[in-house]
Structure formats: C-alpha cells, structure tokens
Amino acid sequence: MKKMVLFTYRPEIGKIYYDDLSLLFGGYMEIRTCFLNEEEPSAEYLSHADIILVSNSEIINKIHYLIGEQAKIVTIDFSYPEMNIEQMRKFPAGTYALMCFDPFISRKMISLLYEQGINNFIWLYPREDGKVPDTEYDVVVVDDYSQNLFDDLKPVISLGNRKIAFSTLLKIAQEADIFNKELENMFLRYCCSYKGASTLVNNIYNDMSAFHSQIRLILDYIDSGIIILSERMEVVEYNSRFMDLFHVTGELYGKKIEEVPGTGELLTYIEKRKSYRNKLIMYPAGKASLVFNMECIIRGDNQGCNYMIILQEAEEIENKSHSLKRQLSTKGYTSKYRFSDIRTESPAMISCIKKAERIARIDKTTLIMGESGTGKELVATAIWKASDRRDNRFIAINCGAIPEPLLESELFGYVKGAFTGADPNGRMGKFELANKGVIFLDEIGDMPLYLQVKLLRVIQERKITRIGSNQVIPIDVRIIAATNKDLKEMMYNNKFREDLYYRLNVIPLKIAPLRERREDIRELVYYFAKRYASLFGKNLQKISEETMEHLYEYPWYGNIRELENTVEFMINMMEEDGVLNMGTLPANISEPQPGVGKTGASGTVVTDMVTPLRELERSEIAKAIRIYGNDTEGKKQAAKKLGIGLATLYRKMEGTDDTAGKR
C-alpha cells in the first residue's frame, strides 16, 4: 500500500483534510498527518512516502531535505462551495475586511475573490507572526473553523466549510496511479455532498461520463481484445471483445490482472513490463491461440505509464489476411497470376518461363521486352508472386498512358501546395506505395527524358523526393520494367538514356510474339472461349475446324490481347447452336489479310509484303555504324563489312545520319 503524508500548520485544518482524504483514499493509501508548529516530522517515514501533500507551498522549503527521491509533491487547492458571493457584493466600496486566515491562505482567498468580481473590499489579514493589523476593519471574513476566534460585535461573513478542491483529488489519484471507476464514483459522491454545489459538479461529472462513454464505444467497436493496466497492474480500461475472449462477466475496474480469469498465460509476458509485437501465445487444444501485443503508454508530463494490451485470435488474423489479399487483387496491389497460370505449348515460351522463374529468385532490376499484347504484365506479376516480395504490394503504372505533366507526381508523389490543383493533403507516389514490394513500369520507352534522369537516380540511390519537398525518403523496391520498343534503337537516336538502359537491362527477358509461337493459339482460343461463354451465359458447343484454321493462320500483330478481344467478339456473335464459325469472326479477321500467307516449316508466316531496297539499305548502314562506331576507323570497318567503298558509304550516309545516331 502506498504512503501519503499530509503537512499543515494548524491541527484543526489538518483534521478536516485528513477526514476527507481518508474517506476517499483510505482503501488505497496509508495516510499520516504532520503539524509543523507542533512536531518534527519523522525523517524515516518521509523518506519512504510516495505522496507529500502540503497545505502551503512554503512548507516544502522546510521539509525538502527529508523527502525521498520517489515522492511526488502535491499542493492542496481548496474551495468553499457554500460561499455566498451575493452577500459579499452588497457591501459598499471601500469596506475594510479582515481575513481570518494565515497570510498564505488569505492572499490566495483574496485572489480567488477578485476573480469572482469581488473588488469592493480593502483587505486586511494577519502578519507572519499571527498579529492582526492595527487598522480598523468593518467586517470579518471567516470559515466554520475560525469563526469562534472573533467577537460578535463585528459583522461576520462566513465562507462556510472548507473542502479540498476536486482538481487536487484528481492530482493525488494521478500521482499515486490509483484512479479507477470505483474511485471516480467516490469523487462524485464527495463533490455532491457540497451544499449548493451539486449542479456544477454534476455537470462536470456528466461531461466526464459522456467522454468515458465515447471512449468505451470506440474500444467496443474495435474487434481486437483491449485491456489497459496501471503501473500497479490494475485494470484501468477494457472493451467487450476482451471479455468475450476470456469469457469474463462483471466489472473489472481496479482489479489486479492476475485476478482476471483466464489470463494466466499472459502473466509471463505482462510481468516483464516491456513492449511485445505479434507474440503468439499457444493454448491447449480446444482453445484459440492468441496474438499478443503490449505497449507502454507514457502519461502526460512523463507521469509514469499505463500498459495497453491488444489481443487477437490467430485464426481470425489469418482469415482476415486471406480476405484482404482477395480484395487487393481487385485493386491492382496484388495479382492472381502465377507461372502455373500461363498456358503454353511453345518450346520458346516454355524456355522463357523457366528463365523467368530463375529471375524471380534474383532480387534485381528486370527488363521485359516484347510486342504489345504478349503478356508482359502477366509475366511480371508471376515473377513477383514467385519472389521473396510476394507478401508485399505489386504496383503497376503505364508510363505511356499518363500525361507527361502528371507522370512525375504519380511516380514520386507531392507535398501540400506543390502545384495548382494538387491534393491539399499531398499524395504518396507509386514508388512509396510499392515500398518493400515490386513496381512495374510498363511502356518504359515512353518515359520523357527528364524523368529518365530521376528514375536513374532512384535506381542508383534507392531514395525518392516528393515534388515540392526537400525530404529524402529511402525506399526498398524491386523494379520490373517493360517495353514494346527497341530501346537500343532509341538510345542511339538519343531518345532513351544509355545509362538508364544499362541500369534497367540488368536481367533481360524477351517474350516472343504470338505469331512465333503458334502452338499456343489453339489452346488460348479454347481457354478464352470457355471463359467468355461462362461469363456471358452462352452455351458453347464447339469451334469449327475452318474457323480454328483461320485463327491459326492470322498474323496476330496485336498478339494475345488481340486474340482475346477477337474470341470475346465471337462469343457475343455466336448463334443459339453454340458453334463458333466463320460467321462469328470480326470483318478485319475474316477478310483476306495483305501479306498473310501460309505458315512455313519453321513456324513463321510467309508473306507477300516487300520492303523497299532503299529502306533495307538505310537500315543496314545504320546497323553497321552502330556496331563499328561513327568515327573514321569505325566507318572503314562498316564499309568493308557492307562490301562498299568508304566514299560510297559517306555518300549514302547523307540521308542516314538521323538513323545512325551517335554513340
């Protein structure tokens, strides 16, 4: 039990305070009184006191050498709840009034009365030696304990019964760390005993009760079990979910945690009084295991701490995790695609997948190359799903689909007021959002040059800076970029930075176009046909062989995306017989295609399209210059390789400089 020592100058005042304190705190603290004018305080007792309560701040100077380091000092504020302010206002201005209290309390009372608008008195009060001033006075101000000290000849204003102020009681409870629901109710009964004060006190209490009810409502809304303990390991607050977890009934306020049924398994961790994060507490079969969190909450002005414990059923967390992942899959933050979902019969594609599976295990920047519609994002998400980052976000952004002025803010975010029209709260960029996960930069070839510089810096330093901010934010992301363009060609034409290209191309992966892996067409057609038939409620029976042959021979310059859109169209056009025939094909596919012929033995399409010689010549000259260099020695080697003279090369290059570019 904690110890409290009360110091006053006068025994009669000490007795008043002691009676009130014993009524409220007698069950929580051992209380002793000392009167400085009568006895020397015990040094041994004071050195072990937890609370030193003084009626006058001047007392502290006299006993400070006796007080132990652990003691908390509280100065008593008092009130006169029966004080008749209106009676005092009736006296004329300039009335001499004698305060019948010691100088400290007298000065304090005068100040309080001025605050109440009582300014019609000229105040007198006893000197330090207790003597009354010689000045003639008109009225005497007393309380119930000093009234008998003065004769009845003078008018007397009685302030009534002196009480310890409510604020002081709260301070004592706070410093002693003993405030609970039971003590709160005792405070209410104490304050309501004030004559004429019940209305004010009730208003205060009602406000407190309303606030407490709001806190309980918030706690009960949380689906985790929550309990808050004092430094003495007594229950300060809790919610209904905690009671459900431990099948507890009745009030817990003020109880020791070890007295709460079912909490024995927690005591091992609680008693250590330190923070825990996601500690799994296993229970015997038939009882749910709990995930245990504990945190120390520092009270205001470093006045000790409470301990908040949060508990959840492990199985409940797992179920929520699965549910969240399902939701995130619809928001672009996760993916439903794995390598096993990629349908292929093509040896080239099988080899590509095997390479991608190896790439997934290497946490390095990856560049995926392939024509539009070949499934670059599908492969990127499959890499992520097979990597160590699969439990974190996958953020995709199409660099070619976002207007250039907005792309920078999408990638890096911005702070409040960064530019006109910005979100007033600022916004997190995609790189920050993808922290610990993967960011997929699709169509990287469409990124403007000035942003390429910033991206290069991000790759090198693994740090970003929001627009309008000087704060550097470290990030940990894996970058997977994709393009349908020839970045090497763009690099030689000064449309893509060489240093960025080599930073992105750490681990390259090329996906073949559909026309080069025709083995997959048949299976993909059936897959998409079944999918869309189910989606649209159609009864698919078969696909005619003629139709399948036509689909097989089509060049599919739009690759798998074009094939999927075509099959979706065909399902919508299908008659009730459930047959996909030539009549269901879109016109652009059913009509003969220029340049489309039969598939050769190698699997490539033989076409009747012809490239003009001049274009071929320009292309080969540009290629030779890229290989051997644009200096004099390089041009000599290029001319030799092309089988032409150096002068001829220079002449032909007059129209090829824009193609050749510079190294």
Side-chain angles (χ1 to χ4, degrees):
M1 182 175 285
K2 293 194 174 184
K3 298 179 180 180
M4 179 165 64
V5 181
L6 167 65
F7 280 94
T8 65
Y9 281 111
R10 295 165 54 191
E12 63 270 21
I13 298 299
K15 186 178 184 311
I16 299 169
Y17 292 159
Y18 178 82
D19 290 343
D20 288 341
L21 293 169
S22 298
L23 175 67
L24 295 168
F25 301 112
Y28 302 94
M29 289 189 286
E30 179 185 330
I31 305 171
R32 183 177 294 187
T33 58
C34 287
F35 313 115
L36 288 184
N37 293 342
E38 295 187 1
E39 59 183 287
E40 181 71 19
S42 170
E44 181 180 357
Y45 190 84
L46 278 179
S47 63
H48 294 92
D50 300 290
I51 302 290
I52 306 293
L53 193 62
V54 296
S55 62
N56 186 329
S57 59
E58 297 171 357
I59 294 175
I60 300 171
N61 295 328
K62 299 181 179 182
I63 63 171
H64 68 90
Y65 64 96
L66 300 172
I67 300 174
E69 293 182 359
Q70 82 285 352
K72 308 260 180 88
I73 301 174
V74 178
T75 302
I76 296 175
D77 279 330
F78 55 86
S79 65
Y80 289 96
E82 302 173 22
M83 180 171 59
N84 191 337
I85 295 295
E86 295 306 315
Q87 179 194 1
M88 302 182 76
R89 295 187 195 278
K90 294 177 180 179
F91 285 84
T95 299
Y96 282 84
L98 175 66
M99 282 280 184
C100 297
F101 312 106
D102 64 65
F104 177 83
I105 292 180
S106 294
R107 288 192 294 270
K108 192 167 185 177
M109 280 302 305
I110 293 169
S111 178
L112 290 173
L113 289 171
Y114 269 117
E115 290 177 5
Q116 296 288 328
I118 306 300
N119 55 11
N120 50 327
F121 293 98
I122 299 172
W123 295 105
L124 307 171
Y125 52 86
R127 296 192 296 266
E128 299 294 336
D129 58 6
K131 293 184 178 180
V132 177
D134 296 332
T135 306
E136 191 69 25
Y137 49 87
D138 305 307
V139 64
V140 178
V141 180
V142 299
D143 60 18
D144 286 356
Y145 305 95
S146 60
Q147 190 167 353
N148 61 347
L149 299 178
F150 290 82
D151 58 67
D152 296 330
L153 298 177
K154 297 285 184 183
V156 173
I157 300 174
S158 179
L159 301 179
N161 191 13
R162 185 186 299 185
K163 288 282 191 178
I164 300 175
F166 190 68
S167 59
T168 300
L169 299 176
L170 288 175
K171 182 71 172 176
I172 295 170
Q174 181 188 33
E175 297 287 10
D177 193 24
I178 57 174
F179 194 79
N180 53 47
K181 190 71 174 179
E182 181 184 3
L183 197 57
E184 182 181 325
N185 290 329
M186 291 176 67
F187 281 5
L188 175 64
R189 289 193 294 271
Y190 171 83
C191 292
C192 286
S193 67
Y194 288 10
K195 181 181 177 181
S198 59
T199 301
L200 174 62
V201 173
N202 273 315
N203 288 338
I204 295 172
Y205 183 76
N206 289 336
D207 289 342
M208 293 175 60
S209 296
F211 179 74
H212 184 262
S213 297
Q214 291 176 9
I215 295 297
R216 285 301 304 266
L217 184 65
I218 293 170
L219 290 178
D220 287 341
Y221 182 79
I222 299 171
D223 56 6
S224 302
I226 297 176
I227 187 168
I228 300 174
L229 306 176
S230 69
E231 286 183 311
R232 299 170 60 189
M233 295 291 111
E234 294 175 342
V235 178
V236 175
E237 194 56 86
Y238 58 96
N239 69 349
S240 57
R241 179 56 179 156
F242 176 85
M243 300 186 74
D244 293 340
L245 286 174
F246 293 94
H247 309 289
V248 179
T249 57
E251 286 215 348
L252 302 180
Y253 296 108
K255 285 189 175 183
K256 293 282 189 180
I257 184 62
E258 59 262 29
E259 299 173 2
V260 179
T263 59
E265 299 288 341
L266 308 179
L267 295 180
T268 305
Y269 306 100
I270 294 174
E271 289 170 351
K272 293 179 180 178
R273 299 174 181 253
K274 67 178 189 178
S275 296
Y276 286 95
R277 295 295 176 94
N278 298 321
K279 180 71 178 178
L280 183 63
I281 299 179
M282 304 294 293
Y283 282 91
K287 189 174 180 181
S289 296
L290 298 176
V291 177
F292 174 86
N293 290 269
M294 179 169 163
E295 194 67 49
C296 174
I297 305 171
I298 305 297
R299 299 197 296 270
D301 300 323
N302 292 319
Q303 299 295 321
C305 72
N306 291 338
Y307 297 92
M308 183 170 67
I309 297 166
I310 303 174
L311 299 154
Q312 280 185 290
E313 291 185 4
E315 186 178 355
E316 184 181 3
I317 293 176
E318 186 176 3
N319 292 336
K320 286 181 178 179
S321 177
H322 289 312
S323 174
L324 184 60
K325 285 180 178 179
R326 287 194 298 271
Q327 293 179 54
L328 287 174
S329 67
T330 66
K331 303 291 185 183
Y333 296 149
T334 187
S335 171
K336 59 185 177 181
Y337 297 116
R338 303 174 186 270
F339 285 118
S340 57
D341 297 314
I342 301 176
R343 302 173 181 274
T344 183
E345 297 290 334
S346 166
M349 196 60 187
I350 292 171
S351 176
C352 178
I353 291 171
K354 288 181 178 179
K355 183 178 180 181
E357 288 175 336
R358 294 194 300 272
I359 289 172
R361 297 190 291 270
I362 306 170
D363 197 32
K364 297 291 184 181
T365 302
T366 302
L367 178 63
I368 303 175
M369 296 165 286
E371 296 178 5
S372 285
T374 51
K376 296 187 293 295
E377 184 168 352
L378 186 150
V379 173
T381 57
I383 289 173
W384 165 60
K385 272 296 186 182
S387 75
D388 293 337
R389 297 177 181 264
R390 57 185 169 271
D391 293 328
N392 297 301
R393 286 174 171 174
F394 177 91
I395 304 295
I397 183 168
N398 190 321
C399 301
I402 299 173
E404 186 174 312
L406 299 179
L407 183 57
E408 183 178 5
S409 63
E410 283 292 316
L411 288 171
F412 306 115
Y414 56 85
V415 297
K416 177 182 178 182
F419 52 86
T420 304
D423 189 313
N425 299 317
R427 181 175 294 179
M428 184 183 294
K430 294 295 191 288
F431 272 101
E432 279 186 84
L433 201 60
N435 194 35
K436 303 297 183 182
V438 173
I439 187 168
F440 177 61
L441 303 176
D442 199 9
E443 307 298 349
I444 189 70
D446 292 330
M447 179 176 284
L449 283 169
Y450 81 95
L451 281 184
Q452 293 179 26
V453 178
K454 292 197 172 187
L455 177 59
L456 179 65
R457 188 175 297 117
V458 171
I459 296 173
Q460 291 174 332
E461 301 177 3
R462 298 291 164 174
K463 297 175 182 177
I464 64 104
T465 304
R466 291 187 182 183
I467 299 174
S469 172
N470 294 321
Q471 182 183 357
V472 176
I473 303 170
I475 57 168
D476 174 20
V477 297
R478 179 177 182 178
I479 298 173
I480 301 178
T483 182
N484 62 358
K485 296 183 176 181
D486 186 346
L487 295 186
K488 274 191 175 181
E489 184 74 27
M490 293 180 66
M491 180 176 69
Y492 289 119
N493 288 323
N494 296 321
K495 294 180 179 178
F496 200 86
R497 291 185 61 91
E498 183 176 3
D499 45 7
L500 178 59
Y501 172 78
Y502 290 115
R503 282 286 186 177
L504 292 173
N505 200 37
V506 176
I507 304 178
L509 181 68
K510 185 169 181 142
I511 303 176
L514 187 56
R515 62 185 174 274
E516 294 181 9
R517 49 186 176 103
R518 292 182 174 273
E519 302 92 337
D520 294 339
I521 292 176
R522 182 176 292 271
E523 184 176 357
L524 287 170
V525 169
Y526 276 112
Y527 170 76
F528 290 131
K530 291 176 182 178
R531 175 183 170 186
Y532 285 107
S534 175
L535 186 64
F536 301 147
K538 299 284 186 128
N539 182 26
L540 176 66
Q541 294 296 318
K542 69 173 185 177
I543 304 172
S544 73
E545 211 44 54
E546 180 187 11
T547 304
M548 183 62 78
E549 184 68 22
H550 194 86
L551 293 171
Y552 184 83
E553 293 179 355
Y554 185 77
W556 300 112
Y557 295 115
N559 292 291
I560 298 173
R561 187 182 294 117
E562 185 185 9
L563 176 63
E564 181 180 358
N565 292 339
T566 297
V567 175
E568 181 182 0
F569 176 87
M570 293 170 67
I571 293 295
N572 278 295
M573 295 296 105
M574 183 175 66
E575 300 289 345
E576 293 184 1
D577 59 3
V579 178
L580 293 181
N581 52 38
M582 294 295 290
T584 61
L585 289 169
N588 65 309
I589 292 181
S590 61
E591 296 173 357
Q593 300 296 310
V596 177
K598 297 292 183 180
T599 304
S602 66
T604 58
V605 178
V606 181
T607 74
D608 59 5
M609 296 183 67
V610 178
T611 304
L613 287 174
R614 181 171 177 81
E615 289 185 21
L616 287 173
E617 186 178 77
R618 287 168 60 90
S619 176
E620 290 304 304
I621 290 174
K623 186 191 297 182
I625 294 298
R626 289 198 301 269
I627 295 171
Y628 296 103
N630 202 27
D631 57 6
T632 302
E633 187 60 35
K635 290 171 182 175
K636 286 180 180 180
Q637 292 293 327
K640 183 178 179 181
K641 193 68 176 177
L642 291 167
I644 60 177
L646 184 59
T648 303
L649 177 66
Y650 275 110
R651 188 172 62 253
K652 293 182 177 294
M653 283 183 62
E654 291 180 1
T656 63
D657 286 344
D658 60 326
T659 305
K662 298 180 181 179
R663 287 184 67 85

